Structure formats: C-alpha cells, structure tokens
C-alpha cells in the first residue's frame, strides 16, 4: 500500500491515534490552522456531481468581487500552484522565507532551482541575489507580517530583472486590507489564496492563483482543465458570496485567537506571535510538551527549528477548558 512520505503537515490525526492508542473521536486536533468555525456548506445539487465542471458558471466573477481582482485561476488548493509554478521557469536562484511553509522550498528544489532559505530581512536586503522570492504573508508558523508598500518595492526590484515575487496569503482573509491581490497585474507579482483556512473548507482542496495574464495562461496550461470539481465550484460560489457570514467569521477568529493567547499565557506558555488562526510558541520544551499533550488526546503542530508549537483554535468552550486543563498538568 502506498504511504505518503513527504513533508510533515498538521492534521495527521489518524497517525497520532495509532501512536498514542486514543480513538479518533476522542482527540482535540489543534495541529492545523484551519478555522474550526466553518462556513455551513449546503446540500450540493445532483447536477453538480453529474456534469463536467463549467468554467463559465459564474465562479470567476464571484471570486473577482471577493478578492478585488479578476486576474485569477481557480486551483486545487494553493498547493497545486505551489507545485506548478517552479515548472514555468528555467532553473534559477530562489529565496524562500524561513522558517515557513516547507512545501514552497521543496517544490522549487524538485525542479532543479537553487533555493536559499532565509529570514525576511535578508531576502529584502539582498534581493539582487534572487530571481524569485517566496514569502508567506502572514507567515506560517511565525505569524510574521509585512507592510504592503515594502512588498511592492520588493516586487518592483525583482520585476525589473524579469523576476517574480510569490506571496502565499493562505492566512490573510481575516485581515484582507493587508492583501496584495488588488495589485496583481503588476509584472512579476503572483499571489496565492486558499479557501481552506478562513472558510474551514480544507477538504475541498480549493484556492486561487493571481498573476498577470500571460503567466496565468501558462499556469492553466500546466494544470490542465477542470482544476476544481463541480461540487467544489458550487460550494465556493455560495461561500464567497456570503458577505454577512464572512464579516462575522473574521471578528470571531480575532476574538478567539486572543482568547487562546490568554489561555496559553495563563498556563506559562506565552505565545511568541500569532495570527487570527493560530498562536505560535517558541519553547525549548516543545517536543516534550507536544508528547505530553498528545498523551491527553490533544494534537499540536511541532516544529524543530526553532523548537516550537503551533496551536490552532480550540473551537468551543469545552475545547478551551480541555486545553487549559491539560496545560495545567504539563507546563
């Protein structure tokens, strides 16, 4: 039987259940940054399952209104674009923000690009070293943010030499004013957006790539037709149109993330930083704490460099109380 042996990600609950001998239904999974306050997906019409996906079903227009830009391509999660973009350039020098989402560096290396992992200050200060710079904004797991004007200056410096700035905005929906989506069309600017985090629809594997039209066409050709299933397209049209739900969800994410920060601080594990979707704690005890919490059926995301834990949002009062109780027994 095939078993994926690639990079580590959050959400590997079945493996944790086997490792610790705790039934799946007894876990509190805080290992992902996916919102636990998911958009309520309606029943899917039968025709969405029976017909081939239709590129002219209105999704593009609805997404354009939500994101503020029509230079977009629906993709099977931003991961699809992350894997495809390196195929669209000859081997070159690529600077990738670190620590950060490891799939970016992995994808560029896989296609023979020379990858440098670096902190943001180096990527900005030594931009002339690179043909492509990849940033996560806000960063995962550090929560690091960048001023849009600084990002646009970086993009302009790269574009002047035919380079790209790739900005992964998977965690930006709760702070949409910080997005670069409205600037896409600028030469060399590529923005990736995910539906999974904010809408709590990670299983849909849906997102959007934003880029100037020639690059979008090349990406579309690389990915081929039907990048999203009919049922996914139907659900996305409803979710991206639901302005009232979106406003409430953003407020709730910020409120609950601050609540999580207070719980962690109260229990001796003050966050180093965070976003509306998670809190990140650098701590030399991270591996031990990860294991002790897992023994109590609470799964966190462990990072080795630096030693740290990422906590997703617990989701309800009972889950918050369970986490605080477990931290009281371990920290």
């Amino acid at each position: 039987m095939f078993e994926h042996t690639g990079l580590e990600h959050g959400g590997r609950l079945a493996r944790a259940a086997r490792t610790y001998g705790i039934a799946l239904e007894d876990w509190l999974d805080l290992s992902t940054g996916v919102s636990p306050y998911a958009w309520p997906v309606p029943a899917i019409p039968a025709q969405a399952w029976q017909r081939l996906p239709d590129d002219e079903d209105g999704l593009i227009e609805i997404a354009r209104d939500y994101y503020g830009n029509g230079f977009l391509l629906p993709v099977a999660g931003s991961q699809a674009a992350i894997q495809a973009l390196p195929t669209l350039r000859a081997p070159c020098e690529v600077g990738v923000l670190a620590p950060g989402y490891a799939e970016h560096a992995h994808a560029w290396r896989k296609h023979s690009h020379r990858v440098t992992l670096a902190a943001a200050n180096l990527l900005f200060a030594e931009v002339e070293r690179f043909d492509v710079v990849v940033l996560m904004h806000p960063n995962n797991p550090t929560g690091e943010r960048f001023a849009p004007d600084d990002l646009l200056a970086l993009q302009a410096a790269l574009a002047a030499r035919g380079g790209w700035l790739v900005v992964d905005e998977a965690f930006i929906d709760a702070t949409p004013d910080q997005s670069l989506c409205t600037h896409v069309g600028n030469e060399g600017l590529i923005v990736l957006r995910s539906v999974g985090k904010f809408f709590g629809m990670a299983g849909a594997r849906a997102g959007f790539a934003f880029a100037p039209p020639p690059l979008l066409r090349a990406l579309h050709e690389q990915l081929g037709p039907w990048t999203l299933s009919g049922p996914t397209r139907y659900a996305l049209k409803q979710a991206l149109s639901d302005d009232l739900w979106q406003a409430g969800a953003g407020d709730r994410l910020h409120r609950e993330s601050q609540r999580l920060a207070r719980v962690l601080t109260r229990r001796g594990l003050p966050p180093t930083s965070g976003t509306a979707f998670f809190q990140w704690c650098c701590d030399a005890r991270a591996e031990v704490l990860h294991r002790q919490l897992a023994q109590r059926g609470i799964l966190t995301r462990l990072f080795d460099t630096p030693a740290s834990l990422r906590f997703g949002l617990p989701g309800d009062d009972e889950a918050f109380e369970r986490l605080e109780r477990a931290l009281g027994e371990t920290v």
Side-chain angles (χ1 to χ4, degrees):
M1 184 178 75
F2 174 80
E3 182 175 351
H4 177 66
T5 57
L7 303 176
E8 286 292 319
H9 299 282
R12 295 200 168 186
L13 195 57
R15 186 172 67 180
R18 292 193 301 270
T19 300
Y20 293 95
I22 300 172
L24 278 172
E25 61 270 20
D26 294 331
W27 282 85
L28 173 58
D29 185 6
L30 306 181
S31 68
T32 78
V34 175
S35 170
Y37 317 113
W39 179 74
V41 180
I44 305 295
Q47 65 184 20
W49 297 100
Q50 295 164 351
R51 298 176 183 172
L52 286 172
D54 183 356
D55 288 341
E56 299 181 2
D57 61 359
L59 175 60
I60 296 296
E61 291 75 18
I62 292 169
R64 176 196 61 206
D65 292 343
Y66 176 79
Y67 293 106
N69 196 312
F71 295 139
L72 60 88
L73 175 69
V75 292
S78 50
Q79 183 64 36
I82 289 169
Q83 292 175 204
L85 285 171
T87 70
L88 304 182
R89 290 190 71 105
C92 65
E93 299 295 332
V94 182
V96 179
L97 180 62
Y101 185 54
E103 290 285 353
H104 286 284
H106 177 68
W108 287 94
R109 284 186 178 125
K110 184 178 178 181
H111 293 282
S112 302
H113 298 276
R114 296 172 294 279
V115 174
T116 299
L117 297 176
N121 57 356
L122 185 147
L123 295 175
F124 279 85
E126 301 184 17
V127 62
E128 69 280 354
R129 290 177 49 189
F130 305 110
D131 302 296
V132 176
V133 171
V134 181
L135 299 173
M136 290 63 77
H137 181 227
N139 191 22
N140 169 29
T142 68
E144 188 175 12
R145 296 167 174 81
F146 310 101
D149 286 348
D150 291 342
L151 293 174
L152 291 172
L154 181 62
Q155 169 263 320
L158 288 161
R161 297 181 284 104
W164 294 352
L165 173 62
V166 181
V167 185
D168 183 344
E169 295 186 341
F171 289 101
I172 210 164
D173 289 70
T175 51
D177 58 308
Q178 297 298 303
S179 172
L180 289 193
C181 271
T182 56
H183 297 278
V184 171
N186 292 3
E187 195 64 30
L189 178 59
I190 302 163
V191 174
L192 307 180
R193 295 293 291 264
S194 169
V195 173
K197 306 299 190 297
F198 180 71
F199 290 92
M201 296 171 64
R205 303 310 308 136
F208 295 88
F210 293 80
L215 183 51
L216 273 188
R217 288 193 290 271
L219 183 59
H220 196 180
E221 174 136 352
Q222 179 68 14
L223 294 174
W226 307 308
T227 53
L228 292 179
S229 71
T232 294
R233 293 181 72 98
Y234 175 85
L236 287 190
K237 286 191 294 179
Q238 319 308 312
L240 295 175
S241 301
D242 195 342
D243 297 341
L244 184 61
W245 182 90
Q246 292 159 19
D251 291 343
R252 186 176 189 184
L253 285 166
H254 285 290
R255 186 170 63 250
E256 297 301 287
S257 183
Q258 288 305 306
R259 180 182 180 185
L260 173 59
R262 290 194 297 272
V263 167
L264 293 168
T265 300
R266 199 157 53 234
R267 289 302 182 179
L269 197 61
T272 306
S273 62
T275 71
F277 298 86
F278 59 79
Q279 293 293 333
W280 182 58
C281 303
C282 282
D283 196 292
R285 303 166 295 169
E287 185 174 358
V288 172
L289 293 173
H290 173 78
R291 185 171 61 252
Q292 290 177 335
L293 288 170
Q295 289 167 346
R296 290 161 173 81
I298 299 176
L299 186 60
T300 57
R301 180 73 168 89
L302 174 66
F303 296 90
D304 296 326
T305 309
S308 54
L309 292 176
R310 189 187 67 197
F311 291 81
L313 304 183
D316 57 32
D317 290 344
E318 182 180 351
F320 268 102
E321 291 165 6
R322 179 177 175 185
L323 173 62
E324 185 155 17
R325 195 163 53 245
L327 289 170
E329 296 169 355
T330 57
V331 177

